[in-house]
Amino acid sequence: MTRQAPPAAFVIMGASGDLTTRKLLPALARLHAGGLLPHGFAIVGTARSEMNDEQFRQLLHDAAPKGGAGWRDVISRSRYVAGEYHSPLTYINLGEVLREVDNACATGGNRIFYLATPPAVFGTIVERLGGAAMNKPSEHGSFVRVVIEKPYGRDLKTATELDHTVHTAFDESSVYRIDHYLGKETVQNVLALRFANAIFEPIWNRRYIDNVQITVAETLGIGHRGSFYETAGALRDIVQNHVLQVLTLVAMEPPARIQPEEIRDEKVKVLRAIDIMSSDEVNDYTVRGQYGPGEVLGERVEGYCDEEDVAPDSHTETYVAARFMVDNWRWNGVPFFVRTGKRLRAHTTEIAMEFKDVPHLPFKAMDATGLGSNVLVVRVQPDDGITLRFGAKVPGQDFRVRTVDMDFTYADAFTEESPDAYERLLLDALVGDPTLFIREDEVRNAWKICDPILDAWAEGRSPLAHYRAGTWGPKEADRLLAHEGRAWHEPCCGS
């Protein structure tokens, strides 16, 4: 059944920023074009940039110029409030505009506050919303929700402090911590693959699976995010959220029902089961790297330390590889290898599950030289789909066996177009479905895993490795698997 959002005012804090124009506004325009937004829908922008209503409406038009006549109606109803995020006057003005929007657009007092601002002002905005009494529904049966972008804290301490601030104004049920990776169609398909297919669920465990590999690779560098990246690094930027969230979906136990809290309960159980590394284990089971000059997709690129707003002697990691162990009944002894990096050979995200070898080959070893392990690969991007690698006989008089691929792609199997991740998540926030958003205990347990790694690195454990742009990362990452007799899975595709 198609879901439709209820009437609401969608308030974007940070409305003049890059995230708003590149992701949020185009996603809202597509939702409207798909008939998923009601007539009683309005966008209200707030930011420090000086702008009036007409200029903001032009920004909406430029961000989604092909939105159609209905989208133009939404644009015509949109409003803008300029002001500093710490100033009470900003929220007085915003409250007045929202009351006018309620009267003019019949939004019914429903509010979504989307924090598309720098993380440093998340707490300030939430406190000011509470201080202006904008955190409570203004009408009987209406709702007020806050959507908070990543990064959610820099470590366990700051994440806990932010939670405390957020909960002074909003109940946990009204807090939607967003990770756009969870909105990707193929990430969600992990649940369907596992729990709708009898051929997979019985073998999704330590008896049959040798190791799991999660790769999040980017060809891009840091662009204009140098100042941010210098304070974050790849572990905070990708591993603590995207990578661990994907890992939980792969490793979680079957929920009794596909319901928000039941799914999120199982994800938290996985995070709690991941072994926390000691300082010595951080040195043995993590690799941090930084890209140098090289060639990516045929173009010469500079190294990280030559990027804008980056210190020439920076030790910030742009690459992380790690081995995690999930200490529970299903996964005991199965390593989960993860890697992520910038300026790598291809832009691709995938999950590769390598199965244990058969206990005995009944034919000559020379007839199976082209045979590798069975691998199930879930491709998240760019070519969404699933590949199963298995052994088959080579046609001919001789009995030779080699590995072949069986592919499924979304584009070939379905005529329906997959929604953009932000489309899915914005609609979820509007209808009040928290399934694909991150609960407070998920955030805290993820930081409990990452904090010891960050602390050990700060003490000089796991020295910074370097890799040439356009490769798959530092050679030290290969040794992370090699000493256990394994190797990184070569991604099926990428661009």
Side-chain angles (χ1 to χ4, degrees):
M1 183 175 68
T2 300
R3 302 176 301 165
Q4 185 180 46
F10 195 92
V11 184
I12 305 176
M13 314 297 289
S16 61
D18 182 63
L19 175 64
T20 298
T21 54
R22 283 195 310 110
K23 296 294 185 181
L24 302 185
L25 296 179
L28 290 172
R30 288 190 293 269
L31 286 174
H32 191 276
L36 301 178
L37 298 182
H39 178 72
F41 181 81
I43 299 172
V44 178
T46 300
R48 291 173 296 188
S49 302
E50 287 297 328
M51 204 184 313
N52 58 33
D53 288 345
E54 288 305 317
Q55 290 171 317
F56 181 57
R57 289 164 185 164
Q58 184 62 46
L59 185 148
L60 266 65
H61 175 271
D62 293 343
K66 298 180 181 179
W71 180 243
R72 288 195 290 272
D73 290 339
V74 173
I75 292 175
S76 69
R77 300 194 296 269
S78 298
R79 301 290 300 277
Y80 183 80
V81 177
E84 296 292 336
Y85 297 121
H86 66 271
S87 172
L89 180 60
T90 301
Y91 300 86
I92 293 172
N93 294 336
L94 178 58
E96 180 60 33
V97 167
L98 286 173
R99 286 188 288 273
E100 294 173 5
V101 166
D102 279 341
N103 293 330
C105 305
T107 49
N110 293 328
R111 310 270 190 268
I112 296 286
F113 291 101
Y114 196 111
L115 274 55
T117 62
V121 296
F122 287 169
T124 299
I125 292 172
V126 170
E127 286 179 332
R128 294 294 185 268
L129 289 172
M134 299 171 68
N135 57 325
K136 303 295 183 183
S138 59
E139 300 180 21
H140 178 71
S142 63
F143 62 80
V144 178
R145 302 182 186 123
V146 59
V147 182
I148 304 178
E149 273 281 348
K150 75 173 188 71
Y152 197 88
R154 286 181 44 79
D155 50 27
L156 178 60
K157 180 178 182 291
T158 54
T160 302
E161 291 170 349
L162 180 56
D163 268 338
H164 177 75
T165 300
V166 169
H167 289 150
T168 61
F170 292 92
D171 294 334
E172 176 64 20
S173 60
S174 299
V175 180
Y176 287 64
R177 299 172 190 83
I178 191 169
D179 182 342
H180 75 274
Y181 254 61
L182 295 182
K184 292 181 180 293
E185 197 75 27
T186 319
V187 171
Q188 299 169 56
N189 197 47
V190 172
L191 299 179
L193 181 70
R194 290 188 58 187
F195 305 136
N197 296 287
I199 61 172
F200 291 127
E201 180 53 29
I203 61 173
W204 206 278
N205 55 58
R206 61 184 173 83
R207 292 184 60 193
Y208 300 98
I209 293 174
D210 177 80
N211 70 89
V212 179
Q213 299 181 22
I214 299 172
T215 297
V216 180
E218 299 180 82
T219 55
L220 296 175
I222 59 166
H224 299 292
R225 301 171 71 217
S227 56
F228 162 76
Y229 218 82
E230 280 286 83
T231 64
L235 188 77
R236 288 187 174 98
D237 189 39
I238 302 294
V239 176
Q240 186 272 337
N241 39 76
H242 297 340
V243 170
L244 287 180
Q245 284 295 314
V246 172
L247 190 155
T248 61
L249 292 177
V250 173
M252 64 183 273
E253 293 298 317
R257 289 167 295 275
I258 301 297
Q259 295 292 332
E261 293 315 308
E262 297 194 30
I263 290 175
R264 300 206 286 184
D265 285 345
E266 297 302 336
K267 288 168 61 185
V268 170
K269 289 178 185 178
V270 174
L271 293 173
R272 288 175 176 164
I274 293 176
D275 287 340
I276 305 299
M277 294 186 198
S278 67
S279 293
D280 289 339
E281 287 173 327
V282 168
N283 185 54
D284 292 337
Y285 300 127
T286 71
V287 173
R288 60 189 186 112
Q290 185 185 95
Y291 66 82
E295 186 174 294
V296 179
L297 303 179
E299 179 182 348
R300 292 292 301 175
V301 297
E302 60 189 4
Y304 175 76
C305 288
D306 296 318
E307 300 277 19
E308 179 184 348
D309 295 327
V310 172
D313 58 349
S314 173
H315 281 73
T316 300
E317 81 282 357
T318 62
Y319 176 98
V320 175
R323 190 201 75 167
F324 294 117
M325 302 298 291
V326 181
D327 189 15
N328 62 15
W329 187 276
R330 181 182 291 266
W331 296 110
N332 185 52
V334 178
F336 283 71
F337 297 104
V338 305
R339 60 176 172 172
T340 183
K342 293 188 174 296
R343 290 296 191 206
L344 297 182
R345 181 174 298 172
H347 170 63
T348 184
T349 298
E350 65 175 43
I351 306 154
M353 309 186 70
E354 185 173 348
F355 290 85
K356 294 180 178 179
D357 292 335
V358 296
H360 171 69
L361 286 175
F363 29 81
K364 298 176 182 178
M366 62 179 295
D367 293 330
T369 54
L371 180 64
S373 300
N374 297 154
V375 183
L376 178 66
V377 181
V378 179
R379 303 189 306 275
V380 177
Q381 61 181 10
D383 183 20
D384 302 5
I386 298 168
T387 295
L388 180 62
R389 291 185 171 175
F390 59 94
K393 180 185 176 300
V394 178
Q397 298 297 335
D398 297 331
F399 196 93
R400 291 187 298 112
V401 181
R402 68 172 175 84
T403 295
V404 295
D405 289 352
M406 182 164 61
D407 281 325
F408 152 77
T409 62
Y410 271 85
D412 293 338
F414 298 105
T415 57
E416 299 92 337
E417 184 178 352
S418 296
D420 171 79
Y422 274 96
E423 284 181 62
R424 171 63 188 260
L425 294 172
L426 295 187
L427 182 59
D428 283 352
L430 284 162
V431 302
D433 182 353
T435 305
L436 300 178
F437 293 84
I438 302 172
R439 206 166 61 187
E440 61 177 322
D441 50 352
E442 290 184 67
V443 174
R444 295 187 188 189
N445 279 284
W447 279 121
K448 287 178 182 178
I449 295 164
C450 292
D451 270 9
I453 300 174
L454 291 166
D455 291 344
W457 286 355
E459 294 168 1
R461 304 285 181 141
S462 188
L464 184 70
H466 292 85
Y467 62 98
R468 183 166 49 85
T471 66
W472 280 116
K475 290 182 171 55
E476 287 81 352
D478 296 333
R479 292 197 284 270
L480 184 67
L481 280 73
H483 81 277
E484 297 184 359
R486 300 180 176 95
W488 288 108
H489 165 74
E490 184 73 18
C492 292
C493 61
S495 60

